[in-house]
Structures are given as structure tokens and as C-alpha cells.
Amino acid sequence: MAAAPAPGVAPVRARFLTSKEQFHAYLRAGGEEEEEEKEEKREEEQVSEPPAKRVKAEELGQDGESQGNAGEEEKERPEKKRARGQNKSRPCMKPNCYEQSRLCPSVTQGCGGQCHFGPRCRFLHDVSQYLAAKPADLGQRCVLFDTFGRCPYGVTCRFGQAHLGDGHQNLVNASLVQQWEGKVLVRNGLSKELQQQLRKRKFSFHKAEEFLRGLRAGKGGKATGSSTEVSNCTGPQEGLRDSPELQEQGEDPRPEALQSSRGDEDAARPEALQSSREAEDAPEPEVLHSFRGAEDAPKPEVLHSFRGAEGAAKPEVLQSSQRAEDAPRPEALQSSREAQDTPKPEVLQNSQRAEDAPKPEVMRNSQGADGAPSIPTLGPLTDEDITKLRPCEKKKLDIQGKLYLAPLTTCGNLPFRRICKRFGADVTCGEMAVCTNLLQGQSSEWALLKRHHTEDIFGVQLEGAFPDTMTKCAELLNRTIDVDFVDINVGCPIDLVYKKGGGCALMTRSNKFEQIVRGMNSVLDVPLTVKIRTGVQEKVNVAHKIIPRIREWGASMVTLHGRSREQRYTRSADWAYIAECARLASPMPLFGNGDILSYEDANRAMQMGVSGIMIARGALIKPWLFTEIKEQRHWDISSRERFDILKDFTNFGLEHWGSDTQGVEKTRKFLLEWLSFLCRYIPVGLLEHLPQKINERPPYYLGRDYLETLMASQNVDDWIKISELLLGPVPPSFTFLPKHKANSYR
């Protein structure tokens, strides 16, 4: 019998404990027994088959056309296929030459076989030739075909036998296709048009540039312009000239700095203003709305085409329009018009009729607050059309008491978030995205922003070190994607981010931190949140000094991880300090984060006075934690139920990343990353006392069945074995290098 567990080791019942050698010997023996059982089963099937059928199957196996899996023949068959199919016109089929083993998109996308690259194309164009080199199918059912009625990957699908007919025809289930027709399952994708604008730097950042002009005009590096917030929303909103904050900072009230209160409109350019005032032959409301619907703002080149055809605005009309947009109150607007002898309403109305001005609903639709499209309405202009959106009028983030799934790098992907949503997570957030990569239009970075339709409260997290890139990125996302909030990562401890001034480093760069928060808040129509740590050094907490300032800068919520950067995840989270910061943050909500692995941990955290809890590693170790918290119970989940969760993850992964070879291996990679956390879970029925603590190391133990023991292994070879149960055998060229480099596989 194994010795009692040492301090820091989870208390597993003695009858389940074992040694490291016995543990791995049991797994090896179990694997060999399973292989022997499979071999015996195959032999029995061969004996039961008619002799003629058996001979035919052997002939097919020798010719390389069989789809079955049969021991050593299966290993040798790909080499035979490659040797038989090689010729002068066929490209190299080495394992690393991935692009040379794929079918050309001109074939898969139904382009009639016309490839624009001609003989220079490095992809295959012959379907039969591709299928000869394609590995055997991984299963008889395709999740995409079973769910949506059509698999977009066609012959490249690794489950192609489920939907390929005669002549490699891709079958379609019309009834299922009709059920999903018109439904958007995943949002926030990167369109080719937007990607080209970002790469060629043709995307206009009106709000961000106004804020940055005000920032450059200021003294002392403080944020100015549209970053100024109104602390009391019940009182009248004062103009920027009377702002005490600007007076304290000695700001120079230059016109470009003051223009930031106008919103998204580019008032410094007369043609930009006249496009919404006196446009001749303006488009109908529905036409203009269609240009704005997708990205909540007109595309620069489309708007410019409308401006180019317009005549020049009259100076007196332009001057009165600019004064109208600068005026903070209706009565000030009226007095300004009377003082400048602007035309009376009836005179202006007659001149507009004479010039065939656009209809009133068109004018209202082009003059929405902050440049955002408003609902087309009839009637005269009101203060809502020219007054900047006040902080108290922004969309509120009402997540008090909800369970918040933390943004998890690598593991917090869309398929994993779908698993957590099914188990009761209320709020989800995408993985940390680097703002500079988003501004460059990198597809891999934009993939982190995708939102599944089941994520009802969803946000994205941005990482950056400078106010210009962060503010521009915030405006870009505000106009192009659909989110409920945007989070700033001020808690990332890794050196790559910290040394560039991002993540935890912002806690030591208060001026840049303030400018980033104010700038992003000025261009966003959704709430802005911030995630921080207790500090940088282990025994020097600074969060209690920063949190009140974050509230003044305009953030809607703060999430505090109860560890410093130096601590990483080695020490327990300081929930007493989190409670102190929660009192200082009031009335701003503060969510606590750290060491939550059971409903008892969640209950103790909520008693600290926080507005809610964020769950990170606890969700990776057991995603059903959300169910345990809501039902206030311990769930002794079986190994078969846990395996079904992994099966759902692989199905979600194939749906998200694709069912071709590339998608299958990407799904396998993220599954292995998740298994590196899942192996830390100890079943409830094996514990000496409850609950399991997140920082307690699991000892070697034998589970109640072979699968439960296999899932407890911290050896990467056993993780590979689990992935093979779900996604078939790994290819010879497969390598896996997880975050923990010791668990690498080659």
C-alpha cells in the first residue's frame, strides 16, 4: 500500500493510491489488453466472413483502394500509394509539404477546374490523384453533414464516406439545409474587404484621431478632449471650456481638441459636414442604412463617393451647422443661431426645398449620435442628434452575481466556451487579442473575436501598451463586430507582453494606463472593463490605489486576480485583499478571481462583497463547475460522462476549425492543451474529504475503471491515446508542444 500523501497533495482514499511505476504499468497493460481484444475480434470477423469476400478484401488491400484499417497493411499502404502514384507531373508528397498534398480550391469550391495560377499552382487538381494519397477516413459519420445537412469540405473531409456519392459527388440533405438557412451561427468574422482596408491603411479612425489630437495638445501627458467624463450624470453637461479637469491640467483649448465632443463626425472637413446636410440626389434611407448595417458606420470609400458628387455648402449654412454641433444645450444652440443671424427655420426649409435636399428621415439617419446609425424618424433635429453620448447613457453591463468565464489564452477557444455555456456559464469572453495584430488585419488574431450564437453575454479582451493603438483598435471593433463589452488586459504576467509595456506593466505606467482607458472609453458605445492583478511584486500590492482611479477614468467594471505578477499561480489568491478592493471600488462593480474549484469556494468568494466571480483554471479542470455552483452540490461525474464531454468538444472543434486534415489536427492540438488541465481533476468518489483544492497536487491513483485512470495520467502519450479514441491515429509528422514544455510530444 502506498504511503500517505505529503502536504500539498490532494487527499485521495488509501485504497485507490498507487505508485508511479504501478500506475504506468496498469495503463500499459490495459492498452495491451485492449489491443489483444481488438485483434481477437478482427480474427473472429474474418473467420465468419465468406471465403470469396475475404479474398476480395485482401485484393483491395493490396491495390490500395480499401478503406478499412488492418494492422501492418494499414501502416504500409500510404507508402505503397505514394510509390505507385508518383509521376513527373505530381508534386512532392512529403509529410511537411502540406500545401502540396491538398486539393486546389478551384476544385473544392466549384470553379469549374479553372485555376488562376495554371502550371505554377502547387496544389493538386486531379480528385482521383488526391484521394489516392488521402489518408483513410476517421469515421463513418460527419458531424457537419449530420448537423447542417451539407459538409463544405467535400472530398477533403476526413469523414467523407458519410456524404460522398457516385463520382465523388458531395451529397446534400435539403431538409436540414433549409432549417439552418438564413441563420448566423458565428459572428465577428473578418471580411476580405475590411482586411484589405486595414492592410492598406485605408480605414478611417475619426474618433480615435480626435482623441489623440486632444492628447497631443495637452500638457503633462494627461488625456483630454473626449476623454473627459461627467461624474454626475443627473446634472447638466458642461462644455469642455468649463471643464475643471482641463483647467487643472493647463489644457490649451485648441479647436481640434474641442472637436472631440462632437462624436464621430469629421467636422473639420466642410465636405464631410455637407454630405449629411445638403446632399443633392441623396440615396434613399434604406440604401444608406444598408451601407451602415454591417459595421455600424459607413465605409470610407462608399461615403466618399456620396460626398464627391455634392456641391459645396454655403459658408453661412456651414458655419451655423458647426456652431450647432459644438453647442451642448438646445437653448445655447438657439442663442448661437440668433446671434450669428442664421436663416430662420422657414427660410432654411425653403432653401433646402429649392436644392432638393434629402428627406428628413435621411438627414436623421446620417446624423446619429457619435456617427452611429440611428432609427430613421421624421421631424426636426433635436438635441439627441448633436449631443455627444454621455457616460451614464451608455449601455450598462448588468452581470451582478453572474458566473463569468475568464478569457483564457489558447484554451478559451470557441468550442470550449460552448462547453462551458452548456454547463451554466453566464458571461464569456474571447481569448486575449493583441491590438496591433488586429489593426494589421491578421486573420489568426481576428479569429479570437468570433462569437457563437449561444453566447448571449460576450466580450473581447485586448492587450496593448500605447493609447494610440488601443484607442484605434477599440474604435475598429466598435464599428465592425458585435460585443457586449470590451476588456483591457492589465494582468498578463508573461515576459513577452510585460517587457513591451503591456499586461501587468501598465500598472506601473499610470499615465499610459489612464490615456488608454480614457481613449478607449471615448470611442466605445459598449462598456469598458479592466482586468488587473494585485500588483507586480509579490509583497507590494498597488491595486487598491489604482482601482479608484480606474473608476474615475470611466471604466464600467474591474476584475481583480488575487495574485501578483511574481506569484503567477504558485500561491493562494488573497481574497481578503480582494474584499478590501471591492469596498474601495464601490459603486463600480468588482469581480474577484482566483482559486475557485468548488461551490464552497464560490460561496466564500461571494461573501467577500464582490459583485461576482470570474472562473479560469477551475473551468479548465472541470467545466461542470458552473453546474455545481448553481445547484450547490458536488457532482461525482463518471468517466463515460467526461468522455462524452470530450466527444462534444471534438464535434464543436470540427465544426469550428473544419473536418479536413488541417481542421482535424487543429482540433487535436487544442484537445491536448485542454487535457493537460483535465488530468488534474480527482473524481469526487475517490477523495478522502471534500472539496478538492486547486493548488493541491493529485497523487498517483487507480480509478474505478481503465478510462478514469487513463484520464488521470499526466503523461502526454496518454493524452495522445485519448485523442486517438476521438480523432483517429495521429499522423507521422504530428508534433505537440504545449504551454508546459515538459509535456511535449514528437
Side-chain angles (χ1 to χ4, degrees):
M1 185 64 63
V9 179
V12 175
R13 295 179 180 179
R15 63 190 179 94
F16 295 105
L17 291 173
T18 185
S19 65
K20 178 179 179 180
E21 294 75 13
Q22 292 174 342
F23 177 84
H24 291 295
Y26 173 79
L27 291 180
R28 287 194 300 269
E32 292 173 0
E33 291 174 0
E34 286 190 351
E35 290 296 331
E36 291 176 0
E37 292 177 0
K38 291 180 180 179
E39 185 65 28
E40 292 176 0
K41 187 176 180 181
R42 283 195 293 266
E43 291 177 357
E44 291 176 359
E45 291 177 353
Q46 290 179 359
V47 171
S48 61
E49 287 180 356
K53 186 176 181 181
R54 202 161 56 241
V55 171
K56 185 177 180 180
E58 292 174 359
E59 291 176 354
L60 288 175
Q62 292 173 0
D63 292 338
E65 298 295 332
S66 172
Q67 296 296 324
N69 299 329
E72 295 299 326
E73 294 181 1
E74 171 64 21
K75 297 179 181 178
E76 295 177 359
R77 195 174 61 204
E79 284 76 16
K80 290 182 179 180
K81 287 180 182 179
R82 285 195 285 268
R84 179 176 55 84
Q86 283 179 353
N87 52 52
K88 294 183 179 179
S89 61
R90 181 171 181 175
C92 174
M93 296 299 296
K94 293 180 181 179
N96 294 331
C97 296
Y98 173 72
E99 71 280 358
Q100 295 175 342
S101 62
R102 291 183 61 193
L103 202 60
C104 181
S106 64
V107 179
T108 58
Q109 297 176 4
C111 301
Q114 298 296 328
C115 179
H116 298 290
F117 295 95
R120 295 182 294 113
C121 181
R122 301 181 66 186
F123 294 90
L124 295 175
H125 296 81
D126 188 349
V127 176
S128 301
Q129 192 178 9
Y130 170 80
L131 292 176
K134 178 186 174 185
D137 283 351
L138 300 174
Q140 299 180 354
R141 302 184 66 87
C142 175
V143 62
L144 294 175
F145 181 74
D146 293 342
T147 305
F148 305 108
R150 180 181 178 274
C151 178
Y153 296 93
V155 294
T156 63
C157 177
R158 294 298 303 276
F159 308 86
Q161 57 182 315
H163 50 77
L164 291 181
D166 298 335
H168 315 307
Q169 184 72 21
N170 196 22
L171 303 180
V172 175
N173 188 334
S175 59
L176 280 177
V177 172
Q178 188 175 6
Q179 291 179 11
W180 293 99
E181 187 176 1
K183 296 181 180 179
V184 180
L185 302 181
V186 178
R187 288 172 283 176
N188 300 348
L190 176 64
S191 64
K192 290 295 182 182
E193 184 179 1
L194 177 59
Q195 188 178 44
Q196 289 296 324
Q197 290 182 17
L198 294 174
R199 288 179 175 178
K200 296 181 179 180
R201 299 184 180 181
K202 292 185 178 180
F203 192 91
S204 299
F205 300 95
H206 299 297
K207 291 184 179 182
E209 289 172 355
E210 287 177 341
F211 171 81
L212 295 173
R213 282 197 297 267
L215 195 63
R216 288 190 292 268
K219 296 180 180 179
K222 298 291 183 179
T224 63
S226 58
S227 62
T228 304
E229 302 295 344
V230 180
S231 59
N232 184 8
C233 290
T234 59
Q237 185 180 14
E238 298 297 335
L240 290 178
R241 297 179 185 274
D242 302 327
S243 173
E245 181 175 349
L246 292 183
Q247 292 177 358
E248 290 179 3
Q249 298 173 5
E251 300 295 344
D252 183 15
R254 293 170 56 184
E256 57 268 25
L258 300 179
Q259 287 171 2
S260 57
S261 63
R262 298 180 185 176
D264 191 14
E265 299 295 333
D266 192 358
R269 293 166 54 186
E271 62 272 20
L273 181 62
Q274 86 181 46
S275 63
S276 62
R277 297 280 177 159
E278 296 186 11
E280 297 183 5
D281 301 327
E284 292 296 326
E286 59 271 19
V287 176
L288 184 58
H289 184 71
S290 64
F291 286 115
R292 300 188 176 207
E295 299 180 359
D296 292 341
K299 297 172 183 177
E301 64 270 21
V302 177
L303 186 59
H304 182 71
S305 64
F306 288 141
R307 292 172 178 170
E310 297 163 356
K314 297 181 180 180
E316 60 270 20
V317 178
L318 177 61
Q319 186 177 7
S320 62
S321 301
Q322 291 177 339
R323 281 194 296 270
E325 289 187 7
D326 286 336
R329 293 188 298 271
E331 58 267 22
L333 175 65
Q334 184 177 0
S335 61
S336 175
R337 287 178 175 173
E338 291 175 357
Q340 298 293 334
D341 295 329
T342 56
K344 294 183 179 180
E346 57 270 21
V347 178
L348 181 60
Q349 186 175 5
N350 293 334
S351 63
Q352 288 179 345
R353 286 200 194 100
E355 296 181 6
D356 296 331
K359 297 179 181 179
E361 58 267 28
V362 178
M363 291 201 308
R364 291 292 304 274
N365 200 28
S366 62
Q367 300 180 80
D370 290 340
S374 58
I375 300 176
T377 56
L378 295 172
L381 294 176
T382 63
D383 58 342
E384 295 178 358
D385 299 288
I386 58 178
T387 304
K388 184 182 183 295
L389 188 68
R390 300 167 67 187
C392 62
E393 298 170 338
K394 277 191 174 184
K395 178 182 176 183
K396 301 297 182 182
L397 185 63
D398 185 16
I399 58 175
Q400 181 85 15
K402 295 185 180 296
L403 298 179
Y404 185 174
L405 174 64
L408 302 165
T409 305
T410 305
C411 293
N413 45 67
L414 187 144
F416 175 76
R417 298 199 303 269
R418 290 182 63 181
I419 294 290
C420 293
K421 282 295 296 183
R422 196 181 64 180
F423 282 113
D426 298 312
V427 185
T428 56
C429 185
E431 304 175 57
M432 180 189 74
V434 181
C435 66
T436 52
N437 296 341
L438 294 174
L439 291 173
Q440 292 171 3
Q442 294 186 12
S443 301
S444 58
E445 207 73 20
W446 277 81
L448 305 178
L449 311 179
K450 289 186 177 180
R451 173 183 190 173
H452 195 260
H453 69 94
T454 58
E455 299 180 273
D456 47 353
I457 305 178
F458 175 76
V460 295
Q461 188 183 67
L462 299 180
E463 182 277 322
F466 301 99
D468 55 345
T469 54
M470 289 289 280
T471 305
K472 289 182 179 180
C473 188
E475 181 179 3
L476 171 66
L477 301 187
N478 189 65
R479 292 165 54 183
T480 56
I481 67 173
D482 178 22
V483 293
D484 298 299
F485 63 93
V486 175
D487 185 69
I488 305 176
N489 187 320
V490 195
C492 183
I494 64 175
D495 295 337
L496 182 64
V497 174
Y498 181 81
K499 291 180 179 179
K500 292 182 178 180
C504 284
L506 283 176
M507 299 185 70
T508 62
R509 304 168 65 225
S510 57
N511 285 343
K512 294 296 182 184
F513 191 9
E514 176 183 0
Q515 293 168 3
I516 288 173
V517 174
R518 289 187 181 275
M520 295 180 67
N521 193 47
S522 68
V523 300
L524 286 172
D525 295 330
V526 295
L528 178 68
T529 64
V530 182
K531 186 176 185 294
I532 64 174
R533 284 179 175 254
T534 59
V536 176
Q537 300 177 353
E538 183 174 353
K539 297 181 180 180
V540 183
N541 294 333
V542 297
H544 63 283
K545 301 178 182 179
I546 297 177
I547 288 175
R549 300 172 65 184
I550 295 176
R551 180 188 59 209
E552 296 173 0
W553 298 340
S556 299
M557 189 187 81
V558 168
T559 302
L560 177 60
H561 185 182
R563 295 183 182 86
S564 66
R565 176 182 180 266
E566 290 184 353
Q567 287 177 315
R568 298 290 180 99
Y569 304 96
T570 56
R571 304 291 181 87
S572 298
D574 190 351
W575 277 93
Y577 183 69
I578 293 177
E580 177 187 348
C581 292
R583 290 190 295 269
L584 295 174
S586 181
M588 178 182 64
L590 184 141
F591 270 52
N593 170 232
D595 296 350
I596 297 177
L597 191 60
S598 65
Y599 74 89
E600 291 99 334
D601 296 333
N603 293 343
R604 283 192 294 270
M606 291 301 297
Q607 293 172 2
M608 295 294 180
V610 296
S611 302
I613 55 176
M614 172 185 281
I615 302 175
R617 284 186 301 163
L620 291 173
I621 295 174
K622 55 175 188 179
W624 54 92
L625 173 61
F626 300 100
T627 301
E628 291 187 348
I629 294 175
K630 291 190 173 182
E631 298 181 0
Q632 293 289 292
R633 68 181 178 94
H634 291 290
W635 185 356
D636 190 8
I637 188 170
S638 66
S639 60
R640 177 53 57 183
E641 290 175 310
R642 292 164 63 191
F643 188 76
D644 290 339
I645 295 174
L646 297 179
K647 188 180 297 184
D648 290 338
F649 176 84
T650 56
N651 289 337
F652 294 157
L654 295 173
E655 179 183 331
H656 181 60
W657 291 301
S659 59
D660 58 348
T661 300
Q662 185 182 22
V664 169
E665 297 315 316
K666 187 171 289 187
T667 302
R668 190 192 304 274
K669 171 194 169 186
F670 287 107
L671 172 64
L672 293 173
E673 290 282 4
W674 187 22
L675 286 172
S676 67
F677 288 93
L678 282 173
C679 66
R680 307 180 194 179
Y681 170 73
I682 302 175
V684 172
L686 275 62
L687 288 171
E688 189 71 39
H689 58 79
L690 300 174
Q692 176 186 357
K693 297 297 183 181
I694 198 168
N695 284 333
E696 289 179 340
R697 186 173 67 258
Y700 287 99
Y701 64 88
L702 297 179
R704 292 166 288 191
D705 54 44
Y706 174 78
L707 184 58
E708 191 169 73
T709 308
L710 182 64
M711 290 181 173
S713 175
Q714 299 188 19
N715 188 346
V716 67
D717 293 322
D718 295 322
W719 305 342
I720 295 289
K721 188 181 297 183
I722 295 175
S723 74
E724 290 180 331
L725 297 175
L726 297 164
L727 295 169
V730 296
S733 60
F734 179 78
T735 59
F736 173 60
L737 187 64
K739 290 183 176 180
H740 308 285
K741 302 299 186 295
N743 296 327
S744 61
Y745 174 85
R746 185 175 296 275

